[in-house]
Amino acid sequence: MKVLVAVKRVVDYNVKVRVNADATGVDIANVKMSMNPFDEIAVEEAVRLKEAGKVSEIIAVSCGMKQCEETLRTALAMGADRAILVETEVELQPLAVAKLLKAIAVQEQPQLLIVGKQAIDDDANQTGQMAAALLNWPQGTFASKVDLATQTVDVTREVDGGLETIKLQLPAVITTDLRLNEPRFIKLPNIMAAKKKPLDKTSPDELGVDVTPRLRTLKVAEPAKRTAGIKVANAAELVAKLKNEAKVL
């Protein structure tokens, strides 16, 4: 069984992001970049499925600039067998990435596509769902447990009322939630071994995919700073302030 795992290069979650001078986006100059945390969980889950003897090959895929090779090497060090970089300098939006993943899936014919439920840079939470729609595959989103069989996969997913377990026919798309697993620490020998694993490159043009952005960012701004709180003497004063000052009642 072959599994395709999508990974994205984002600003490291420990970095405090800043808006750039022209307010068009986040300043990434000289900023530490790393694999999207939800995608780390996706890679870890694929590796665990392989270790359990349910998966034979793991292919990591990333879409973006040349520096995404570093992210793919991380996935290879975690346990992926090979990697594919769809290299482009164009700003990729969720629909474009979903189309690229579809094109790769058509080429590779995996039985499972695993992606993080969202990326921490744009928080779009769209790529997995769009890819499933384009491929016409069933999808299990926000997975907190995955039980893979020969022809089906049971996905326990988090919903507002608790947990829901669904059975999907393969091939299928799964998006990972935080409680699915805890990614492993990568050891130095695995990092060295990852340098020898195959990493193929392609482009949107070679895949026949138009990645022209369809949305334009008008302005990016930092959230307003919180003002200092105050103490009230009683409930009546609280209600009065909520009504007269906050205007929420």
Side-chain angles (χ1 to χ4, degrees):
M1 183 178 292
K2 188 185 293 187
V3 175
L4 200 64
V5 184
V7 296
K8 185 177 183 181
R9 180 176 182 264
V10 299
V11 175
D12 190 87
Y13 69 93
N14 287 313
V15 173
K16 179 176 174 57
V17 297
R18 296 185 298 272
V19 176
N20 57 24
D22 56 5
T24 58
V26 172
D27 185 6
I28 60 172
N30 301 315
V31 170
K32 181 183 178 183
M33 308 292 284
S34 61
M35 186 188 298
N36 177 48
F38 290 102
D39 297 341
E40 281 189 285
I41 294 171
V43 176
E44 175 67 25
E45 190 63 21
V47 173
R48 292 188 184 192
L49 290 172
K50 184 179 179 182
E51 290 173 343
K54 298 180 179 181
V55 167
S56 58
E57 185 180 24
I58 302 169
I59 307 167
V61 180
S62 190
C63 307
M65 58 185 63
K66 179 177 174 59
Q67 290 87 335
C68 292
E69 285 186 29
E70 301 171 8
T71 307
L72 288 171
R73 290 296 178 193
T74 300
L76 292 170
M78 289 179 68
D81 297 293
R82 58 189 176 95
I84 300 173
L85 171 61
V86 184
E87 189 172 350
T88 176
E89 295 296 325
V90 177
E91 177 190 354
L92 295 175
Q93 295 173 351
L95 180 57
V97 176
K99 289 180 178 179
L100 293 171
L101 291 177
K102 176 192 174 182
I104 296 294
V106 170
Q107 285 186 355
E108 296 291 340
Q109 293 295 306
Q111 283 69 53
L112 206 58
L113 169 60
I114 309 178
V115 302
K117 72 170 185 178
Q118 65 194 78
I120 62 172
D121 52 0
D122 57 16
D123 279 329
N125 185 13
Q126 296 175 341
T127 303
Q129 293 90 326
M130 287 178 171
L134 292 170
L135 288 163
N136 197 28
W137 290 2
Q139 58 180 296
T141 56
F142 317 129
S144 60
K145 183 180 178 182
V146 173
D147 187 6
L148 183 62
T150 306
Q151 299 294 332
T152 62
V153 58
D154 291 348
V155 178
T156 301
R157 57 190 303 269
E158 300 191 2
V159 295
D160 290 341
L163 298 176
E164 173 187 66
T165 301
I166 57 176
K167 183 182 292 290
L168 309 175
Q169 291 291 327
L170 298 178
V173 176
I174 295 175
T175 71
T176 59
D177 211 341
L178 281 174
R179 279 162 284 280
L180 179 58
N181 60 53
E182 183 176 344
R184 66 194 62 196
F185 176 78
I186 304 175
K187 298 178 181 178
L188 182 58
N190 294 341
I191 296 175
M192 301 305 294
K195 295 180 180 180
K196 299 180 181 179
K197 291 183 179 180
L199 193 160
D200 299 322
K201 293 185 181 180
T202 184
S203 68
D205 290 339
E206 292 177 2
L207 294 172
V209 177
D210 178 13
V211 295
T212 304
R214 288 166 167 77
L215 301 174
R216 183 165 59 92
T217 301
L218 300 179
K219 184 181 180 181
V220 176
E222 293 186 14
K225 293 183 179 180
R226 287 187 175 184
T227 56
I230 61 171
K231 291 184 179 180
V232 294
N234 50 52
E237 184 181 351
L238 173 61
V239 172
K241 288 187 175 294
L242 291 174
K243 183 176 181 180
N244 302 321
E245 296 181 17
K247 305 292 185 182
V248 295
L249 294 179

